[in-house]
Amino acid sequence: MIFTIAHKEFRSLFAAPSTWLILGMLQFIFAWFFLARLDAFLQVQAQLAQLANAPGATQAVAAPLFGTVALVMMMLVPVFTMRLIAEERRNQTLTLLMAAPVSSVQIVLGKFLGLLLFLLFIIAGCLLMVLALAAGTQLDMGLLLSNALGLLLLTAAYAALGLYISSLTAQPVIAAIAALAALFGLWLTEISAVDSGNAWRALAPTSHFESFNLGLLNSGDWIFFLLFCIAFLLLAIRRLHNNRIYG
Amino acid sequence: MGTYHNPQTHYYMPDAAPTTLSARNLSRRFGQREVIHGVSLKLKHGEVLGLLGHNGAGKSTTLQMLTGALLPHSGQIEICGFDLARQPGQAKARIGFLPETPPLYREMSVDNYLAFAARLHLVPRGRIAGSVAETRRRCGLQDSGKKIIGTLSKGYQQRVGIAQAIIHQPEVIILDEPTVGLDPSQIRDIRTLIRELGDAYSVILSTHLLGEVESICDRVEIMHHGRIIYGDSSAKMQQYGHQPGFIVTLRAPPGLSELQAIAGVQQVEQLSATQFRILHVIDANPGAALLALAAQRGWQAEQLVPLQSSLEDVFVKITESETA
């Protein structure tokens, strides 16, 4: 039943022309950035070669690209999460799900997974772009995969938060703005806590992504992302259940 | 299908038909305001029940509670013997619901939407294509399978809404104002469909159109300020508080006293030079006697029309007597 809802969510994303437009624009922007980084790397490559333990193509091109994608995701995910529940409520289609033999848990997980599958496409697009470098050089696959994994976890955390905010309102636009504000706020806590030991940094998903970005698989970061997702998914489930209680 | 509960109240329906839905003492508050007070309903297989009431009487709230979209504050709902609160999966799989606004995803095609609705309602994977085709045929959507729902007219969207509610062949079909906003021929089609569905399954529909009740419902419950204030068969409702009588046209009328003298006549009123309204006692109809007398004395009787109180009058009478 979760997959029925996820499948429907995934398909209806592709039914909207705006989705295709956004996907195309994003790929264009990422490719632009990728080529710019690659160009810069090729120019300094000769000097780099004289250094001992010089940064390779993965570290100089792929890691910054994934860092940028992570930042863009912060603005992008709310655009997609806003529709999830708020639009169903506005169009009064939520009744179909509420009256059907599916639980709130299944509705929330279905929507979450459907969106995540879609966002996976964007991540996979970037990954493929970087993998194209394998034709000319040796890639650090470990660093590349840790980056992709980190980006996936970060996106999942953003999607969970956006999904919860979408469940609070009947207006998709409000859901988008509120989710953007929340994500931006989390990002600001990281930026404003300058020293790396500051406890506030631990709150921001972006700071946990940083270790993935460096190629560190830290169990603390894993647990942070998992707890972040679970907490907001539980809140969304609770909100949908309250929908049956308060109308 | 579990155990069926014996009806506690006796309706005119044969007792053999199993109870498909029973709701006891439902009540519901929104904040401090109690909008539904102790509503009980019972529905049997093969029956169409009309829930009648003014706007804001609590019809939609009641129907939403019956589908599990809204939880009641107290009371119990059983669908085919399954408790809606304790076994929601089993109970909800046996309900089809069309809310006031049909829950349509405008960007989907009719076929995809119906297949999604079927999967949501636990129709086995292998049977989905078959039930989509069958439901489309039933709802007159044969040629609309590939169309995008957002491009359909209001009437067709309503049909898709009904199709969504019946795709899994539910025992209980709940329709909230199914004919609002449709043109007369569409209304006729949908009423025919509802009547068919009522014979095969069981249907509850809410409406404020009395004609709808008259033409398709077996039984009527009237809601007023969140209470059920009247419940009976729709034929009986029509006779509620009704004084039997007829209007007779006599081309050569006699004096009023002569008409008054006929056995059984209670009151005679002259409507025009040739028309009289005659009210009589319930157990004796003086019509035959009057016609015989008219032939005998040359009153030239032309027509005799029994008085029928319209459902509207009855409805107003019932709701007013409750308010007073």
Side-chain angles (χ1 to χ4, degrees), chain B residues 237-319:
Chain B
M237 178 184 159
Q238 224 156 4
Q239 285 156 19
Y240 176 90
H242 172 54
Q243 167 84 43
F246 48 81
I247 292 175
V248 66
T249 309
L250 303 169
R251 296 286 294 279
L256 281 183
S257 57
E258 266 184 86
L259 292 173
Q260 189 81 62
I262 301 168
V265 172
Q266 276 187 326
Q267 197 195 339
V268 182
E269 198 183 334
Q270 187 152 18
L271 298 176
S272 68
T274 55
Q275 281 189 316
F276 299 86
R277 178 161 66 202
I278 296 179
L279 300 180
H280 58 82
V281 291
I282 294 169
D283 35 4
N285 190 340
L290 184 133
L291 288 179
L293 218 58
Q296 200 181 351
R297 304 197 184 160
W299 294 341
Q300 299 180 26
E302 212 161 50
Q303 55 175 345
L304 188 148
V305 185
L307 280 179
Q308 251 181 349
S309 60
S310 73
L311 222 43
E312 246 119 305
D313 300 337
V314 176
F315 179 65
V316 168
K317 231 182 265 175
I318 293 173
T319 49

Coordinates of all heavy atoms in Angstrom, one line a residue, chain B residues 237-319:
Chain B
M237 N -43.6 8.9 4.5 CA -43.2 10.3 4.8 C -44.2 11.3 4.1 O -44.6 12.3 4.6 CB -41.8 10.6 4.5 CG -41.4 12.1 4.7 SD -39.8 12.5 4.2 CE -39.9 14.2 4.0
Q238 N -44.5 10.9 2.9 CA -45.4 11.7 2.1 C -46.8 11.9 2.7 O -47.5 12.8 2.4 CB -45.6 11.1 0.7 CG -45.4 12.1 -0.4 CD -45.0 11.5 -1.7 OE1 -44.9 10.2 -1.8 NE2 -44.8 12.3 -2.7
Q239 N -47.2 10.9 3.5 CA -48.5 11.0 4.1 C -48.5 11.6 5.5 O -49.5 11.7 6.2 CB -49.1 9.6 4.2 CG -49.6 9.1 2.9 CD -49.6 7.6 2.8 OE1 -49.6 6.9 3.8 NE2 -49.6 7.1 1.6
Y240 N -47.2 12.1 5.9 CA -47.1 12.6 7.3 C -48.0 13.8 7.4 O -48.0 14.8 6.7 CB -45.6 13.0 7.5 CG -45.4 13.7 8.8 CD1 -45.0 13.0 9.9 CD2 -45.5 15.1 8.9 CE1 -44.7 13.6 11.1 CE2 -45.2 15.7 10.1 CZ -44.9 15.0 11.2 OH -44.6 15.6 12.4
G241 N -48.9 13.8 8.4 CA -49.7 14.9 8.8 C -50.7 15.3 7.6 O -51.1 16.4 7.5
H242 N -50.9 14.3 6.8 CA -51.7 14.6 5.6 C -53.2 14.4 5.8 O -53.6 13.3 6.2 CB -51.1 13.7 4.4 CG -52.0 13.8 3.2 ND1 -52.2 15.0 2.6 CD2 -52.5 12.9 2.4 CE1 -53.0 14.8 1.5 NE2 -53.1 13.5 1.4
Q243 N -54.0 15.4 5.5 CA -55.4 15.2 5.6 C -55.9 14.7 4.2 O -55.7 15.4 3.2 CB -56.0 16.6 5.9 CG -57.5 16.7 5.7 CD -58.2 16.3 7.0 OE1 -57.8 16.6 8.1 NE2 -59.3 15.5 6.8
P244 N -56.5 13.6 4.2 CA -57.0 13.0 2.9 C -58.1 13.9 2.3 O -58.9 14.4 3.0 CB -57.4 11.6 3.2 CG -57.7 11.6 4.7 CD -56.8 12.7 5.3
G245 N -58.1 14.0 1.0 CA -59.2 14.7 0.3 C -59.0 14.8 -1.2 O -58.1 14.1 -1.7
F246 N -59.9 15.5 -1.9 CA -59.7 15.6 -3.3 C -60.3 16.9 -3.8 O -61.0 17.6 -3.1 CB -60.3 14.4 -4.1 CG -61.7 14.0 -3.6 CD1 -62.8 14.7 -4.1 CD2 -61.9 13.0 -2.7 CE1 -64.1 14.4 -3.7 CE2 -63.2 12.7 -2.3 CZ -64.3 13.4 -2.8
I247 N -60.0 17.2 -5.0 CA -60.6 18.4 -5.6 C -61.5 17.9 -6.8 O -61.1 17.1 -7.6 CB -59.5 19.3 -6.2 CG1 -58.7 20.0 -5.1 CG2 -60.1 20.4 -7.1 CD1 -57.5 20.8 -5.5
V248 N -62.7 18.3 -6.7 CA -63.7 17.8 -7.7 C -64.2 19.0 -8.6 O -64.3 20.1 -8.0 CB -64.8 17.1 -7.1 CG1 -65.7 17.9 -6.2 CG2 -65.7 16.3 -8.1
T249 N -64.3 18.8 -9.9 CA -64.9 19.8 -10.7 C -66.3 19.4 -11.2 O -66.5 18.4 -11.8 CB -64.0 20.0 -12.0 OG1 -62.6 20.1 -11.5 CG2 -64.4 21.2 -12.8
L250 N -67.2 20.3 -10.9 CA -68.6 20.0 -11.2 C -69.1 21.2 -12.1 O -69.0 22.3 -11.7 CB -69.5 19.9 -10.0 CG -69.1 18.8 -9.0 CD1 -69.8 19.0 -7.7 CD2 -69.3 17.4 -9.5
R251 N -69.5 20.8 -13.4 CA -69.9 21.9 -14.3 C -71.2 22.6 -13.9 O -71.5 23.7 -14.1 CB -70.1 21.3 -15.7 CG -68.8 20.8 -16.3 CD -67.9 21.9 -16.7 NE -68.4 22.7 -17.8 CZ -68.3 22.3 -19.1 NH1 -67.7 21.2 -19.4 NH2 -68.8 23.1 -20.0
A252 N -72.1 21.8 -13.2 CA -73.4 22.3 -12.7 C -73.5 22.1 -11.2 O -74.1 21.1 -10.8 CB -74.6 21.7 -13.5
P253 N -72.7 22.8 -10.4 CA -72.6 22.5 -9.0 C -73.9 22.8 -8.2 O -74.6 23.7 -8.5 CB -71.5 23.4 -8.6 CG -71.5 24.6 -9.5 CD -72.0 24.1 -10.8
P254 N -74.1 21.9 -7.2 CA -75.2 22.1 -6.3 C -74.7 23.1 -5.2 O -73.6 23.5 -5.2 CB -75.4 20.7 -5.7 CG -74.1 20.1 -5.8 CD -73.3 20.7 -6.9
G255 N -75.5 23.3 -4.2 CA -75.1 24.1 -3.1 C -74.1 23.4 -2.2 O -74.0 22.2 -2.2
L256 N -73.4 24.2 -1.4 CA -72.4 23.6 -0.6 C -73.0 22.6 0.4 O -72.4 21.5 0.7 CB -71.6 24.7 0.2 CG -70.6 25.5 -0.5 CD1 -69.9 26.4 0.4 CD2 -69.6 24.5 -1.2
S257 N -74.1 22.9 0.9 CA -74.7 22.0 2.0 C -75.0 20.6 1.4 O -74.9 19.6 2.2 CB -76.0 22.7 2.5 OG -76.9 22.9 1.4
E258 N -75.4 20.5 0.1 CA -75.6 19.2 -0.4 C -74.4 18.3 -0.4 O -74.4 17.1 -0.2 CB -76.2 19.4 -1.9 CG -77.7 19.4 -1.9 CD -78.1 19.5 -3.4 OE1 -78.3 18.4 -4.0 OE2 -78.3 20.6 -3.9
L259 N -73.2 19.0 -0.8 CA -72.0 18.2 -0.8 C -71.6 17.9 0.6 O -71.1 16.8 0.9 CB -70.9 19.1 -1.4 CG -71.0 19.4 -2.9 CD1 -69.9 20.4 -3.3 CD2 -70.9 18.1 -3.7
Q260 N -71.8 18.8 1.5 CA -71.5 18.6 2.9 C -72.2 17.4 3.5 O -71.7 16.7 4.4 CB -71.8 19.8 3.7 CG -71.3 19.9 5.2 CD -69.9 20.3 5.2 OE1 -69.5 21.4 4.9 NE2 -69.0 19.4 5.7
A261 N -73.4 17.1 2.9 CA -74.3 16.1 3.5 C -73.8 14.7 3.2 O -74.2 13.7 3.8 CB -75.7 16.3 3.0
I262 N -72.9 14.5 2.2 CA -72.5 13.2 1.8 C -71.7 12.6 3.0 O -70.9 13.2 3.6 CB -71.6 13.2 0.5 CG1 -72.4 13.9 -0.6 CG2 -71.1 11.9 0.2 CD1 -71.5 14.2 -1.8
A263 N -71.9 11.3 3.2 CA -71.3 10.6 4.3 C -69.8 10.6 4.2 O -69.2 10.3 3.2 CB -71.8 9.1 4.4
G264 N -69.1 11.0 5.3 CA -67.6 10.9 5.3 C -67.0 12.3 5.0 O -65.9 12.5 5.4
V265 N -67.7 13.2 4.4 CA -67.2 14.5 4.1 C -67.0 15.3 5.4 O -68.0 15.4 6.2 CB -68.1 15.2 3.1 CG1 -67.6 16.7 2.9 CG2 -68.1 14.5 1.8
Q266 N -65.8 15.9 5.6 CA -65.6 16.7 6.8 C -65.7 18.2 6.5 O -66.3 18.9 7.3 CB -64.2 16.4 7.3 CG -64.2 15.2 8.2 CD -62.8 15.1 8.9 OE1 -61.8 15.4 8.3 NE2 -62.8 14.6 10.1
Q267 N -65.2 18.6 5.3 CA -65.2 20.0 5.1 C -65.2 20.2 3.6 O -64.6 19.5 2.8 CB -63.8 20.6 5.6 CG -63.8 22.1 5.8 CD -62.4 22.6 6.0 OE1 -61.5 21.9 6.4 NE2 -62.2 23.9 5.6
V268 N -66.0 21.2 3.1 CA -66.1 21.5 1.7 C -65.7 23.0 1.5 O -66.1 23.8 2.3 CB -67.5 21.3 1.2 CG1 -67.5 21.6 -0.3 CG2 -68.0 19.9 1.4
E269 N -64.9 23.2 0.5 CA -64.4 24.6 0.3 C -64.6 24.9 -1.2 O -64.2 24.1 -2.0 CB -63.0 24.7 0.8 CG -62.5 26.1 1.0 CD -61.0 26.2 1.4 OE1 -60.5 25.1 1.9 OE2 -60.4 27.2 1.1
Q270 N -65.2 26.0 -1.5 CA -65.3 26.3 -2.9 C -64.1 27.1 -3.4 O -63.8 28.1 -2.9 CB -66.6 27.2 -3.1 CG -66.9 27.4 -4.6 CD -68.4 27.6 -4.9 OE1 -69.1 27.9 -4.0 NE2 -68.8 27.4 -6.1
L271 N -63.4 26.5 -4.4 CA -62.2 27.2 -4.9 C -62.5 28.1 -6.1 O -61.9 29.2 -6.2 CB -61.2 26.1 -5.4 CG -60.7 25.1 -4.4 CD1 -59.8 24.0 -5.0 CD2 -60.0 25.8 -3.2
S272 N -63.5 27.7 -6.9 CA -63.9 28.6 -8.0 C -65.4 28.3 -8.3 O -66.0 27.6 -7.5 CB -63.0 28.4 -9.3 OG -63.4 27.1 -9.8
A273 N -65.9 28.8 -9.4 CA -67.3 28.6 -9.7 C -67.6 27.1 -9.8 O -68.7 26.6 -9.3 CB -67.7 29.3 -10.9
T274 N -66.7 26.3 -10.3 CA -67.0 24.9 -10.5 C -66.1 24.0 -9.7 O -66.3 22.8 -9.8 CB -66.7 24.6 -12.0 OG1 -65.4 25.0 -12.4 CG2 -67.7 25.3 -12.9
Q275 N -65.1 24.5 -9.0 CA -64.2 23.6 -8.3 C -64.4 23.6 -6.8 O -64.5 24.7 -6.2 CB -62.7 24.0 -8.6 CG -62.2 23.5 -10.0 CD -60.8 23.7 -10.2 OE1 -60.3 24.8 -9.8 NE2 -60.1 22.7 -10.7
F276 N -64.3 22.4 -6.2 CA -64.5 22.3 -4.8 C -63.4 21.5 -4.2 O -63.0 20.4 -4.8 CB -65.9 21.6 -4.4 CG -67.0 22.4 -5.0 CD1 -67.5 22.2 -6.3 CD2 -67.7 23.3 -4.1 CE1 -68.5 23.0 -6.7 CE2 -68.7 24.0 -4.6 CZ -69.2 23.9 -5.9
R277 N -62.9 21.9 -3.0 CA -61.9 21.0 -2.3 C -62.7 20.3 -1.2 O -63.3 21.0 -0.4 CB -60.8 21.8 -1.7 CG -59.8 20.9 -1.0 CD -58.5 21.5 -0.8 NE -58.5 22.7 0.1 CZ -57.6 23.6 0.1 NH1 -56.6 23.5 -0.7 NH2 -57.7 24.6 0.9
I278 N -62.6 19.0 -1.2 CA -63.4 18.2 -0.2 C -62.4 17.4 0.6 O -61.6 16.7 0.1 CB -64.4 17.3 -0.9 CG1 -65.4 18.1 -1.7 CG2 -65.0 16.4 0.1 CD1 -66.4 17.3 -2.4
L279 N -62.4 17.7 2.0 CA -61.6 16.9 2.9 C -62.5 15.9 3.5 O -63.6 16.2 3.9 CB -61.0 17.9 3.9 CG -60.1 19.0 3.4 CD1 -59.5 19.8 4.5 CD2 -59.0 18.4 2.5
H280 N -61.9 14.7 3.7 CA -62.8 13.6 4.3 C -62.0 12.9 5.4 O -60.8 13.1 5.5 CB -63.3 12.7 3.2 CG -62.2 12.0 2.4 ND1 -61.5 10.9 2.9 CD2 -61.6 12.3 1.2 CE1 -60.6 10.6 2.0 NE2 -60.6 11.4 1.0
V281 N -62.7 12.1 6.1 CA -62.1 11.3 7.2 C -61.2 10.2 6.5 O -61.3 9.9 5.4 CB -63.1 10.6 8.1 CG1 -63.9 11.7 8.9 CG2 -64.1 9.7 7.3
I282 N -60.2 9.7 7.3 CA -59.2 8.8 6.8 C -59.8 7.5 6.3 O -59.4 7.0 5.2 CB -58.1 8.6 7.8 CG1 -57.4 9.9 8.1 CG2 -57.1 7.6 7.4 CD1 -56.5 9.9 9.3
D283 N -60.7 6.9 7.0 CA -61.1 5.5 6.7 C -62.3 5.4 5.7 O -62.6 4.3 5.4 CB -61.3 4.7 8.0 CG -61.9 5.6 9.1 OD1 -62.2 6.8 8.8 OD2 -62.1 5.1 10.2
A284 N -62.8 6.5 5.3 CA -63.9 6.4 4.3 C -63.7 7.4 3.2 O -63.6 8.6 3.5 CB -65.3 6.6 5.0
N285 N -63.7 7.0 2.0 CA -63.5 7.9 0.9 C -64.9 8.1 0.2 O -65.4 7.2 -0.3 CB -62.5 7.3 -0.1 CG -62.1 8.4 -1.2 OD1 -62.8 9.3 -1.4 ND2 -61.0 8.1 -1.8
P286 N -65.4 9.3 0.3 CA -66.7 9.6 -0.2 C -66.7 9.8 -1.8 O -67.8 10.2 -2.3 CB -67.2 10.8 0.5 CG -65.9 11.5 0.9 CD -64.8 10.5 0.9
G287 N -65.6 9.6 -2.4 CA -65.5 9.9 -3.8 C -66.5 9.2 -4.7 O -67.2 9.8 -5.5
A288 N -66.6 7.9 -4.5 CA -67.6 7.1 -5.3 C -69.0 7.5 -5.1 O -69.8 7.7 -6.0 CB -67.4 5.6 -4.9
A289 N -69.3 7.8 -3.8 CA -70.7 8.2 -3.5 C -71.0 9.5 -4.1 O -72.1 9.7 -4.7 CB -70.9 8.4 -1.9
L290 N -70.0 10.4 -4.2 CA -70.2 11.7 -4.7 C -70.4 11.6 -6.3 O -71.3 12.2 -6.8 CB -69.0 12.6 -4.5 CG -69.1 14.0 -4.9 CD1 -68.6 15.0 -3.9 CD2 -68.3 14.3 -6.2
L291 N -69.6 10.7 -6.9 CA -69.7 10.6 -8.3 C -71.1 10.0 -8.7 O -71.7 10.4 -9.7 CB -68.6 9.7 -8.9 CG -67.2 10.4 -8.9 CD1 -66.2 9.5 -9.5 CD2 -67.3 11.7 -9.7
A292 N -71.5 9.0 -7.9 CA -72.8 8.4 -8.1 C -74.0 9.5 -8.0 O -74.8 9.6 -8.8 CB -73.1 7.3 -7.1
L293 N -73.8 10.3 -7.0 CA -74.8 11.3 -6.8 C -74.8 12.3 -7.9 O -75.8 12.8 -8.4 CB -74.5 12.0 -5.4 CG -75.6 12.4 -4.6 CD1 -76.5 11.2 -4.2 CD2 -75.1 13.1 -3.3
A294 N -73.6 12.6 -8.4 CA -73.4 13.6 -9.4 C -74.1 13.1 -10.7 O -74.8 13.9 -11.4 CB -71.9 13.9 -9.7
A295 N -74.0 11.8 -11.0 CA -74.6 11.2 -12.2 C -76.1 11.3 -12.0 O -76.8 11.6 -13.0 CB -74.1 9.8 -12.4
Q296 N -76.5 11.0 -10.8 CA -78.0 10.9 -10.6 C -78.7 12.3 -10.7 O -79.7 12.4 -11.3 CB -78.1 10.4 -9.1 CG -79.5 9.8 -8.8 CD -79.5 9.4 -7.4 OE1 -78.4 9.3 -6.7 NE2 -80.7 9.0 -6.9
R297 N -78.0 13.3 -10.2 CA -78.6 14.6 -10.1 C -78.1 15.6 -11.2 O -78.5 16.8 -11.2 CB -78.3 15.3 -8.7 CG -78.8 14.4 -7.6 CD -79.0 15.1 -6.3 NE -79.3 14.2 -5.3 CZ -79.2 14.4 -4.0 NH1 -78.7 15.5 -3.6 NH2 -79.6 13.5 -3.1
G298 N -77.3 15.1 -12.1 CA -76.8 15.9 -13.2 C -75.9 17.1 -12.9 O -76.1 18.2 -13.4
W299 N -74.9 16.8 -12.0 CA -74.0 17.9 -11.6 C -72.9 18.0 -12.6 O -72.1 18.9 -12.5 CB -73.4 17.7 -10.2 CG -74.4 17.7 -9.1 CD1 -75.6 18.3 -9.1 CD2 -74.2 17.2 -7.8 NE1 -76.2 18.2 -7.9 CE2 -75.3 17.5 -7.0 CE3 -73.2 16.5 -7.1 CZ2 -75.5 17.1 -5.7 CZ3 -73.3 16.1 -5.8 CH2 -74.5 16.4 -5.1
Q300 N -72.8 17.1 -13.6 CA -71.8 17.1 -14.6 C -70.4 17.0 -14.0 O -69.6 18.0 -14.2 CB -72.0 18.2 -15.6 CG -73.3 18.2 -16.3 CD -73.4 19.4 -17.2 OE1 -72.4 20.0 -17.7 NE2 -74.6 19.8 -17.5
A301 N -70.1 16.0 -13.3 CA -68.8 15.8 -12.8 C -67.7 15.7 -13.9 O -67.9 15.0 -14.8 CB -68.7 14.6 -11.9
E302 N -66.7 16.5 -13.8 CA -65.7 16.4 -14.9 C -64.4 15.7 -14.4 O -63.9 14.9 -15.1 CB -65.3 17.9 -15.3 CG -65.0 17.9 -16.8 CD -65.1 19.3 -17.3 OE1 -64.5 20.2 -16.7 OE2 -65.8 19.5 -18.3
Q303 N -63.8 16.1 -13.3 CA -62.6 15.4 -12.9 C -62.5 15.4 -11.3 O -63.1 16.3 -10.7 CB -61.3 15.9 -13.5 CG -61.2 17.4 -13.3 CD -59.8 17.9 -13.8 OE1 -58.9 17.1 -14.1 NE2 -59.6 19.1 -14.0
L304 N -61.8 14.4 -10.9 CA -61.7 14.3 -9.4 C -60.2 14.0 -9.2 O -59.7 13.0 -9.6 CB -62.6 13.1 -8.9 CG -62.7 12.9 -7.4 CD1 -64.1 12.4 -7.1 CD2 -61.7 12.0 -6.9
V305 N -59.5 14.9 -8.5 CA -58.1 14.8 -8.3 C -57.8 14.6 -6.8 O -58.1 15.5 -6.1 CB -57.3 16.0 -8.9 CG1 -55.8 15.8 -8.7 CG2 -57.8 16.3 -10.3
P306 N -57.2 13.5 -6.4 CA -56.8 13.4 -5.0 C -55.8 14.4 -4.6 O -54.9 14.8 -5.4 CB -56.2 12.0 -4.9 CG -56.4 11.3 -6.2 CD -56.8 12.4 -7.2
L307 N -55.9 14.9 -3.4 CA -55.0 15.9 -2.9 C -53.7 15.1 -2.5 O -53.7 14.1 -1.9 CB -55.5 16.5 -1.6 CG -56.5 17.6 -1.7 CD1 -56.9 18.1 -0.3 CD2 -55.9 18.8 -2.5
Q308 N -52.5 15.7 -2.9 CA -51.3 15.1 -2.5 C -50.4 16.1 -1.9 O -50.2 17.2 -2.5 CB -50.6 14.5 -3.7 CG -50.6 13.0 -3.7 CD -49.9 12.4 -4.9 OE1 -49.5 13.1 -5.8 NE2 -49.7 11.1 -4.9
S309 N -50.0 15.9 -0.7 CA -49.1 16.9 -0.1 C -47.8 16.7 -0.7 O -47.3 15.6 -0.8 CB -49.1 16.8 1.4 OG -48.6 15.6 1.8
S310 N -47.1 17.8 -1.1 CA -45.8 17.6 -1.7 C -44.8 17.3 -0.6 O -45.1 17.6 0.6 CB -45.4 18.9 -2.4 OG -45.1 19.8 -1.5
L311 N -43.7 16.7 -1.0 CA -42.7 16.3 0.0 C -42.2 17.6 0.7 O -41.8 17.6 1.9 CB -41.6 15.6 -0.7 CG -41.0 14.4 0.1 CD1 -42.1 13.5 0.7 CD2 -40.2 13.5 -0.9
E312 N -42.2 18.7 -0.1 CA -41.7 19.9 0.5 C -42.5 20.3 1.7 O -42.0 20.7 2.7 CB -41.9 21.0 -0.6 CG -40.6 21.6 -1.0 CD -40.4 21.4 -2.5 OE1 -40.5 20.2 -3.0 OE2 -40.2 22.4 -3.2
D313 N -43.9 20.3 1.5 CA -44.7 20.7 2.6 C -44.4 19.8 3.9 O -44.4 20.3 5.0 CB -46.2 20.4 2.3 CG -46.6 21.3 1.1 OD1 -45.9 22.3 0.9 OD2 -47.6 21.0 0.4
V314 N -44.3 18.5 3.6 CA -44.0 17.6 4.7 C -42.8 17.9 5.4 O -42.7 18.0 6.6 CB -44.0 16.1 4.1 CG1 -43.6 15.2 5.3 CG2 -45.3 15.8 3.5
F315 N -41.7 18.2 4.6 CA -40.4 18.5 5.2 C -40.5 19.7 6.1 O -40.0 19.7 7.2 CB -39.4 18.7 4.0 CG -38.0 19.0 4.5 CD1 -37.3 18.1 5.2 CD2 -37.5 20.3 4.2 CE1 -36.0 18.4 5.7 CE2 -36.2 20.6 4.7 CZ -35.5 19.7 5.4
V316 N -41.1 20.8 5.5 CA -41.3 22.0 6.3 C -42.1 21.7 7.5 O -41.7 22.2 8.6 CB -42.0 23.1 5.4 CG1 -42.4 24.2 6.3 CG2 -41.0 23.5 4.3
K317 N -43.1 20.9 7.4 CA -44.0 20.6 8.6 C -43.1 19.9 9.7 O -43.2 20.2 10.8 CB -45.1 19.7 8.1 CG -46.5 20.2 8.6 CD -47.6 19.3 8.2 CE -48.2 19.7 6.9 NZ -49.2 18.7 6.4
I318 N -42.3 18.9 9.2 CA -41.6 18.1 10.2 C -40.5 19.0 10.9 O -40.4 19.0 12.1 CB -40.9 16.9 9.5 CG1 -42.0 15.9 9.0 CG2 -40.0 16.2 10.5 CD1 -41.4 14.8 8.2
T319 N -39.8 19.8 10.1 CA -38.7 20.6 10.7 C -39.3 21.7 11.5 O -38.7 22.0 12.6 CB -37.7 21.1 9.6 OG1 -38.5 21.8 8.6 CG2 -36.9 20.1 9.0

